[in-house]
Amino acid sequence: MQIVGLALVAFIPILFTVVMMTVFSWPAKRVMPFAWGIAVMVALTVWGMELMRVVASTVYGFLSAFNILIIIFGAILILNTLKKSGAMSTINRGFYGITPDRRIQAIIIGWMFGSFIEGAAGFGTPAALAGPLMVGLGFPPLAAAMVALIFDSTAVSFGAVGTPVIGGVGAVMKATVVERLGEGAYIPFLKSVGFWSALPHAIVGTFIPLLAICMLTAFFGPKEKRSIKYGLAAAPFAIFAGLCFTVPYMLTATLLGPEFPALVGALIGLPIVLLAASKGFLVPRDQWEFPTKDKWEGNWKGVVETGSDEESNMPLWLAWTPYVLIAVVLVVTRIPEFGLKAWLAAQVISWDNILGSGINYSLKYLYLPGTIPFVLVAIITIFLHRMPGEKVKEAWGATLKQIVSPAIALFFAVAMVQVMVNSSTNVKDIDGMMLTMSKATAMVVGGAWPLVSPFVGVLGAFMSGSNTVSNILFSQFQFGVAGQLGHPGVVTLAMQNIGGAVGNMVCVHNVVAACATVGLTGVEGIIIRRNLIPMFVYGLAVGIVGLVIIYGGFAAGVLL
């Protein structure tokens, strides 16, 4: 009972975050400073942490958040640069005329193109890009926002070149991995988390295109044809498109690590699916279409704001060149045989033993994808696309503005987690907050934890709007529960990482952003309620796969 009582106290900062964001609709940038303050008070009073260790943990959290913000900045900068150069409008036009069937259009744009954007940029950009593109093709704005969010799930665990694994799970777990297995185990650990994240994702995610188009036909067809059977009629093409992404996605996670699965999966899958659609391969004979606009329901409609995209006559190959450069630079700088990886990773700014706490910080400023390739390619694009200085200024200015709110939320979210993690060193000689919550949860849930684990990730994404932040919030907690139950920690961390991706479908931040880009207001609740269906199906299916992996002994001998 003492453990359960302490666990409930430790859970107060997280509970506060959930309640204030979901019930009272506070934004994350407002909630997280208060949540950090509550965690500090609990750490100082109930756990008896020394003040200097709390300060050091907070400083380390802020610095770690800065590492992540560099990636976010670079990802958003690429997107804004392409918008202002006119490349994005050219890319959009390239999708027109491939097929008139709305189900196939949704799969190409939402699943394949959206997954590519997720792999390259992440952080909510795919739904914000795919939604307006579908509206431009004639989709009802509500339908475009809903399915764009559903599609933006499988790729998310490896979004922005693996940030949820590297900047989320990795940032939180690095000290534990190094302490238990040594410095050399950290990269294999990240690769292992990537593999065990990709496997359940690939199994379940293959059917996400089918699930998404079934949701589309169930809610947005003509009244006499509003049924999932019209989605099921396109099942052969949908499953084919699923495999075109998930097969190279799984192989990439196995061979290269967590940076590339989403990016490579989409780069390989997109041209295959485009070719198949243009040739009519597995495309249903009977086309499916929305009702005419005069028969659209009131909440389907929006006023689209597309002023941020510059029109241009740029050739399609030139518009796509920055993304090709990103892919090439990533491969060259991440594969050791090319000789650049070790040198880039060796360029480090560090602060050892912060304030005498024994906590160490490092910034590999050239190895972070935010600098190379994102910022580097954004600069190259200025000359490649012959952008006028005014447009360059607009792109950089918009990026700086967009990063302010995520920065505040991220600084305090990471700081809160670090205070909770480092509470294990205290004058009362009791377990830290994360381990205490883990022990209590293991007592209550027991061996069924693999079924629950993905939904913890969903909760984190729903709270924060980010798979990365979800992993920061709950990785130590999930790892602790796994230890209490004797489950392989890496697999449980993978379940967390997958859940954070699945939560993308319903997280408030992404839903609001997706609605805003297609000109919708006041319908966020409708989308969240509807997307709870695919979210629950995905989360439960992944949990079942996790049960099979753990209790079937398939993960025997994994790191940690």
Side-chain angles (χ1 to χ4, degrees), residues 167-419:
V169 176
V172 172
M173 294 299 302
K174 184 174 183 179
T176 301
V177 174
V178 171
E179 179 184 341
R180 295 192 184 186
L181 301 173
E183 187 77 37
Y186 180 61
I187 298 302
F189 164 78
L190 290 178
K191 191 171 181 180
S192 184
V193 173
F195 171 82
W196 290 109
S197 297
L199 181 60
H201 256 322
I203 294 170
V204 182
T206 297
F207 299 94
I208 282 298
L210 178 59
L211 183 57
I213 62 172
C214 283
M215 292 288 292
L216 183 69
T217 60
F219 288 105
F220 294 98
K223 286 188 176 180
E224 67 278 8
K225 294 184 177 180
R226 204 168 293 178
S227 168
I228 66 169
K229 73 178 184 179
Y230 296 99
L232 293 173
F237 186 90
I239 295 171
F240 168 75
L243 289 169
C244 284
F245 175 73
T246 57
V247 171
Y249 168 95
M250 184 67 231
L251 290 173
T252 305
T254 305
L255 299 174
L256 298 181
E259 293 105 326
F260 303 111
L263 193 63
V264 173
L267 275 173
I268 292 174
L270 179 58
I272 296 172
V273 171
L274 283 171
L275 180 62
S278 65
K279 300 296 184 181
F281 178 69
L282 298 179
V283 174
R285 291 181 180 178
D286 295 329
Q287 294 178 9
W288 184 85
E289 177 61 275
F290 298 108
T292 56
K293 286 189 177 182
D294 60 302
K295 295 181 180 178
W296 285 6
E297 296 178 11
N299 59 17
W300 290 15
K301 304 172 185 177
V303 179
V304 182
E305 300 288 344
T306 57
S308 59
D309 281 22
E310 301 294 327
E311 294 297 326
S312 77
N313 295 316
M314 185 183 300
L316 190 59
W317 67 266
L318 184 59
W320 274 97
T321 299
Y323 283 127
V324 176
L325 284 175
I326 287 173
V328 170
V329 173
L330 282 170
V331 171
V332 170
T333 57
R334 264 48 181 184
I335 296 178
E337 285 72 17
F338 287 105
L340 285 174
K341 179 176 180 177
W343 183 82
L344 291 172
Q347 311 309 306
V348 180
I349 297 173
S350 61
W351 183 0
D352 294 334
N353 195 26
I354 298 173
L355 304 177
S357 64
I359 300 171
N360 302 319
Y361 164 77
S362 65
L363 167 63
K364 297 179 180 180
Y365 55 93
L366 291 182
Y367 192 67
L368 285 176
T371 50
I372 299 176
F374 290 162
V375 171
L376 175 63
V377 172
I379 294 171
I380 292 172
T381 302
I382 294 170
F383 302 98
L384 191 67
H385 291 174
R386 298 180 181 180
M387 294 177 65
E390 183 181 342
K391 295 301 178 184
V392 175
K393 185 178 178 180
E394 287 177 8
W396 284 73
T399 302
L400 288 169
K401 288 180 182 178
Q402 286 174 259
I403 206 169
V404 172
S405 291
I408 296 170
L410 202 58
F411 277 132
F412 285 97
V414 181
M416 180 189 80
V417 172
Q418 289 304 319
V419 169

Side-chain angles (χ1 to χ4, degrees), residues 19-57:
V19 171
M20 298 312 294
M21 290 186 67
T22 59
V23 178
F24 295 97
S25 300
W26 278 25
K29 67 178 182 179
R30 185 179 178 189
V31 173
M32 295 318 303
F34 282 104
W36 165 82
I38 294 170
V40 167
M41 292 303 297
V42 171
L44 291 171
T45 56
V46 180
W47 261 260
M49 277 183 77
E50 293 181 354
L51 178 61
M52 193 54 66
R53 187 165 183 82
V54 171
V55 174
S57 300

